């Protein structure tokens, strides 16, 4: 038996059907070893920076299974993805199996098809230790920044924060874009459009006027802000009353449009965001499904696209030949190229030896397999299929026409377009819109049916979308194809950004605070050039031109020295500034906006006052920077007294660490989606009644004076000791309501211990 190990179970299932009974295909479920969670796991004291790896608790069972299979196998074939992470996965497995990586059998493929797998098996190589070194260096760098800088942020800013070599730079991009937006000063400007009809030809019945926009005054082209106000436009309209309009010039030219290159990871994420509204994370999830395989009728599981983490633009010879044949048959020979079209990669750091993202079989058009894909998969597959096929289609030829219309010193320009030959745009009919202008001659008079002025206002740059942030990170050289989507997901899940109404990335208060702190005190961590240079260093490690330890040392020692200094000398007040929002008109106390342990809040009063300051949480969506005095005063309306229950207990509405709630005596009731500022007494009573009823249904049996209870839980009845905090299962042959206190105590005593580490210790033994 030959054991083939891939990364995911879906991929294993797809590949299994291509190989015979002599092969056993298993999944590693990603990485099988990593740095320990509980400590740094890097030899910093010794200066070697050697990592210490361990098998995570959730991977112990799978690793044991793989070790057993490896012992039984006549040959172990490592088939993880062909990038740094994939190479490291194979290396870790080789270390676990005690196989020399320089002799290990390693195969790579860019698509999950029978031919690709067979070709890979026929051309194995060994594990590339240079790629492994680059991955380890990246992992160690990220561990150093995360494990040393994050605790500093917990101490100086707020608990739960994280910093990262790439994520902190991404946060900086988002924050700086927001600061640009806030500093932006809106300007008014105007445009002027004329609607014209030809006078010659006798009659205009049924002919629609064509539009021309004011282009120049006294032969000087008008820029975007050329017409600054209504008064200026009104003066032009006055001058053009009863003016004569004449064709000054007609320019016709044929233009060619060449198809864009095939998708890389970055451009795929950008186009999926622009055209489909998908987040980077969503795009990569769907692409992974298409890559690993979709069940297509009698064919079974079929990989539909090549590997989706790539920055290469090359296409295989097989695809080039097949696409030429397909295009000729489907659209006609004139749409196919005589020779393949190749694209040069403009990225100097393009590293992975993959192909571009393309369909594995050009004959599987989106229409032909639409019944087997869900709507989201189909949209992404269509995007990939069209882009790849278009690269091998003929250029599009278009006729473009400009007609200049003169009136006094003012010149209007009308533009038109017609299609001579659609070429690759045959796949994109939405881009083939024709705007035909009437046939006219220079010197011919035209009739101006209407002059239409329109007011505009300049707008700041929009917030980053997934697409534009990925593009910016790529342009700065920050991160790699595999990191774009996880980075965006991380800064969102860590609470640095949220999605606005347009699904764009809006930085939250904590992002401004942390970014300001890092820029001022740890500039090397968030410096764009430094981060890009570090990526270049990793590339050079991967190519074998640099050793990884000196690069880590050069970064670590100055960074650590600075961190120790800042930890000793900076106070929390130095790092988290307060914003004075205003003064409470009633109490005359100042109101501040601050960042605390659980996020942004407002404070009324000072710590120097005789009375203790009051505090209130911000509402979802509010930020300290945008908070007005009226907004802040509204926040201090909590807690609200709603009234009393039947027993005369006062009912209060408030918001806490875990969200809105109502309180009756010492009991708290979560109100979930109810607004604590508007919830009524009747609504609160319903919440209280429903919760009390649920609690009553939860209790099966209580014992007077005993901490032991028999309860209904999520997975059925169980026994709990509320003092010892131990739960016990109830045997299936025992009726829970018939249990005695003695029987419950016995079952509690027999319950397995849940001491920390016991499970892992038992497994390792």
């Amino acid at each position: 038996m030959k054991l083939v190990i891939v990364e995911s179970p879906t991929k294993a299932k797809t590949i299994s059907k291509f190989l015979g009974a002599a092969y056993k295909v298993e999944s590693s479920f990603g990485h099988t070893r990593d740095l320990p969670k509980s400590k740094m796991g890097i030899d910093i004291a010794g200066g070697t920076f050697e990592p210490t790896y361990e098998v995570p608790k959730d991977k112990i069972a799978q690793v044991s299974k793989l070790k057993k299979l490896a012992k039984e196998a006549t040959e172990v074939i490592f088939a993880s993805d062909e990038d740094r992470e994939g190479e490291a996965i194979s290396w870790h497995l080789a270390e676990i199996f005690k196989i020399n990586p320089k002799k290990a059998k390693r195969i790579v493929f860019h698509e999950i098809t029978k031919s690709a797998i067979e070709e890979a098996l026929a051309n194995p190589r060994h594990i590339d230790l240079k790629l492994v070194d680059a991955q380890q260096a990246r992992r160690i760098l990220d561990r150093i920044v995360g494990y040393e800088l994050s605790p500093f942020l917990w101490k100086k800013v707020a608990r739960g924060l994280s910093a990262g070599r790439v994520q902190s730079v991404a946060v900086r991009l988002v924050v700086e874009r927001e600061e640009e937006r806030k500093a932006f000063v809106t300007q008014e400007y105007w445009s002027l459009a004329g609607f014209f009809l030809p006078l010659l030809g006798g009659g205009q019945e049924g002919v629609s006027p064509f539009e021309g926009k004011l282009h120049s005054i006294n032969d000087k082209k008008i820029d975007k802000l050329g017409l600054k106000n209504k008064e200026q436009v009104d003066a032009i309209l006055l001058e053009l009353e009863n003016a004569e309009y004449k064709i000054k010039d007609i320019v016709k030219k044929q233009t060619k449009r060449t198809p864009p290159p095939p998708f890389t990871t970055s451009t795929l994420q950008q186009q999926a965001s622009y055209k489909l509204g998908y987040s980077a994370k969503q795009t990569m999830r769907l692409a992974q499904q298409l890559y690993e395989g979709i069940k297509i009728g009698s064919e079974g599981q079929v990989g539909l696209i090549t590997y989706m983490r790539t920055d290469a633009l090359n296409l295989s010879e097989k695809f080039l030949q097949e696409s030429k044949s397909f295009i000729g048959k489907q659209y006609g020979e004139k749409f196919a190229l005589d020779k393949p079209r190749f694209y040069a990669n403009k990225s100097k750091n393009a590293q992975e030896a993959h192909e571009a993202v393309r369909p594995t079989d050009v004959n599987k058009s989106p229409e032909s397999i639409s019944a087997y894909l869900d709507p989201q998969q189909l949209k992404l597959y269509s995007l990939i299929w069209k882009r790849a096929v278009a690269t091998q289609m003929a250029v599009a030829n278009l006729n473009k026409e400009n007609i200049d219309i003169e009136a006094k010193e003012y010149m209007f320009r009308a533009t038109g377009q017609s299609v001579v030959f659609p070429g690759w745009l045959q796949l994109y009919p939405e881009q083939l819109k024709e705007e035909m202008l009437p046939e006219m001659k220079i010197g011919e008079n035209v009739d101006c049916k209407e002059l239409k002025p329109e007011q505009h206002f300049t707008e700041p740059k929009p917030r980053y979308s997934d697409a534009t942030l990925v593009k910016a990170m790529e342009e700065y050289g920050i991160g790699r194809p595999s990191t774009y989507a996880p980075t965006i997901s991380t800064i969102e899940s860590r609470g640095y950004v949220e999605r606005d109404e347009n699904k764009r990335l809006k930085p939250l208060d904590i992002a401004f605070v942390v970014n300001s702190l890092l820029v001022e005190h740890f500039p090397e961590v968030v410096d764009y050039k430094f981060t890009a240079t570090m990526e270049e260093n990793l590339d050079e490690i991967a190519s074998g031109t640099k050793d990884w330890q000196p690069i880590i040392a050069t970064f670590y020692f100055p960074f650590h020295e600075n961190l120790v200094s800042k930890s000793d000398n900076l106070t929390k007040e130095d790092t988290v500034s307060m914003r004075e929002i205003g003064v409470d008109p009633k109490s005359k106390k100042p109101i501040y906006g601050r960042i605390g342990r659980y996020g942004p809040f407002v404070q009324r009063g000072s710590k120097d006052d005789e009375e203790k300051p009051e505090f209130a949480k911000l509402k979802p969506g509010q930020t300290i920077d945008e908070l007005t005095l009226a907004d802040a005063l509204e926040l201090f309306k909590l807690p609200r007294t709603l009234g009393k229950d039947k027993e005369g207990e006062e009912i209060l509405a408030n918001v806490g660490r875990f969200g809105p709630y109502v309180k009756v005596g010492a009991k708290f009731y979560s109100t979930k989606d109810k607004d604590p500022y508007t919830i009524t007494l009747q609504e609160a009573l319903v919440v209280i009644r429903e919760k009390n009823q649920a609690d009553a249904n939860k209790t099966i049996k209580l014992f007077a004076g005993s901490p032991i209870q028999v309860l209904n839980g999520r997975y059925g009845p169980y026994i709990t000791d509320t003092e010892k905090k131990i739960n016990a299962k109830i045997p299936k042959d025992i009726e829970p309501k018939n249990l005695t206190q003695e029987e419950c105590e016995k079952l509690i005593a027999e319950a397995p211990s849940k001491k920390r580490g016991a499970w892992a210790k038992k497994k390792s033994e």
Side-chain angles (χ1 to χ4, degrees), residues 72 234 380 507 676:
E72 296 170 356
D234 287 343
L380 190 67

Side-chain angles (χ1 to χ4, degrees), residues 368-383:
S368 68
I369 60 170
S370 60
Y372 304 106
L373 304 177
D374 69 34
Q376 289 186 333
Q377 291 171 339
L378 180 60
K379 286 178 182 177
L380 190 67
Y381 181 69
S382 297
L383 203 67

Side-chain angles (χ1 to χ4, degrees), residues 403-694:
I403 297 180
D404 292 343
I405 303 159
E406 189 177 50
K408 296 185 177 179
E409 69 266 34
Y410 303 99
M411 195 267 283
F412 293 80
R413 175 166 290 176
T415 59
Q417 174 179 290
S418 60
V419 179
V420 179
F421 175 64
W424 66 277
L425 287 175
Q426 186 77 11
L427 294 177
Y428 300 90
E430 69 277 5
Q431 296 186 36
L432 284 172
K433 291 179 182 176
E434 294 191 318
E435 297 172 14
M436 304 295 289
L437 295 174
E439 284 294 327
M440 289 180 287
K441 298 176 181 178
I442 294 174
E444 178 182 334
N445 285 346
V446 293
D447 181 13
C448 181
K449 305 299 291 183
E450 180 187 7
L451 288 174
K452 186 178 180 182
E454 191 172 351
Q455 184 185 36
H456 310 275
F457 294 95
T458 57
E459 295 181 349
K461 290 180 181 178
R463 292 185 176 118
Y464 280 111
S465 63
D466 286 53
T468 53
L469 185 56
V470 165
K471 186 177 181 181
M473 291 172 69
E474 186 178 44
E475 287 173 350
Y476 278 110
I478 299 163
R480 279 293 174 264
S482 60
T483 65
Y484 300 138
T487 297
I488 295 172
S489 179
T490 297
I491 65 174
E492 190 175 2
S493 65
R494 297 288 186 179
Y496 286 114
V497 301
E498 66 178 6
R499 302 278 175 175
D500 66 12
E501 63 278 5
N502 298 313
K503 295 185 179 180
R504 293 181 179 271
L505 300 167
K506 177 185 177 183
L508 297 173
D509 287 314
I510 200 70
F512 289 95
V513 172
V514 171
N515 182 66
S516 177
L517 173 65
L518 295 180
V519 168
E520 182 177 356
H521 299 290
F522 301 95
E524 71 281 8
V525 173
V526 289
D527 180 76
Y528 300 136
K529 188 175 180 181
F530 169 83
T531 307
T533 300
M534 189 59 73
E535 294 291 353
E536 290 173 3
N537 286 332
L538 294 175
D539 291 341
E540 291 184 71
I541 294 168
S543 66
T545 57
K546 282 188 178 179
D547 293 328
W548 66 270
Q549 282 101 335
I551 289 172
I552 302 292
T554 301
F555 166 77
Y556 177 73
F557 291 113
F559 165 76
H560 180 72
E561 186 179 342
N562 182 39
L563 182 69
V564 171
S565 172
K566 294 299 191 303
S567 297
D568 293 340
N569 299 320
L570 282 178
T571 66
K572 192 164 185 176
E573 286 69 27
D574 293 329
T575 59
V576 183
S577 59
M578 291 195 301
R579 177 196 163 216
E580 187 167 346
I581 297 169
V583 177
D584 184 349
K586 289 185 178 179
S587 67
K588 306 303 180 187
K589 292 181 178 180
I591 296 178
Y592 304 99
R594 296 181 59 187
I595 296 286
R597 184 178 181 184
Y598 302 118
F601 66 94
V602 287
Q603 172 183 316
R604 179 161 54 191
S606 166
K607 64 180 182 180
D608 298 325
D609 295 343
E610 290 184 11
E611 295 179 350
K612 187 179 178 182
E614 300 170 87
F615 305 97
K617 278 188 75 172
L618 271 61
K619 295 180 183 180
Q622 287 184 325
T623 62
I624 291 173
D625 193 55
E626 297 170 348
L627 211 63
T628 65
L629 179 60
D631 293 333
L633 291 171
E634 176 73 16
L635 297 173
F636 286 108
K637 289 183 178 178
L638 295 183
R640 288 172 58 223
T641 302
L642 304 180
K644 297 183 178 180
D645 63 7
K646 291 179 181 178
E647 288 71 36
E649 286 272 18
E650 200 168 58
I651 300 175
L652 299 176
N654 205 349
V655 64
R657 179 184 175 189
F658 302 109
Y661 64 88
V662 289
K663 182 183 178 187
V664 184
K667 291 192 73 175
F668 295 84
Y669 300 83
S670 171
T671 55
K672 295 180 182 177
D673 56 347
K674 300 287 185 185
D675 187 342
Y677 294 90
T678 59
I679 189 172
T680 65
L681 175 61
Q682 291 306 313
E683 289 173 326
L685 289 170
V686 169
V687 169
I688 293 165
R689 183 174 66 251
E690 289 177 351
K691 179 65 166 63
N692 287 339
Q693 189 174 346

Side-chain angles (χ1 to χ4, degrees), residues 180-198:
E180 278 183 60
R181 288 169 54 81
K182 289 175 181 176
F184 183 82
V185 178
T186 298
Q187 290 180 267
E188 176 187 13
Y189 70 99
W190 288 71
S191 62
L192 182 60
F195 294 87
F196 306 97
L197 279 172

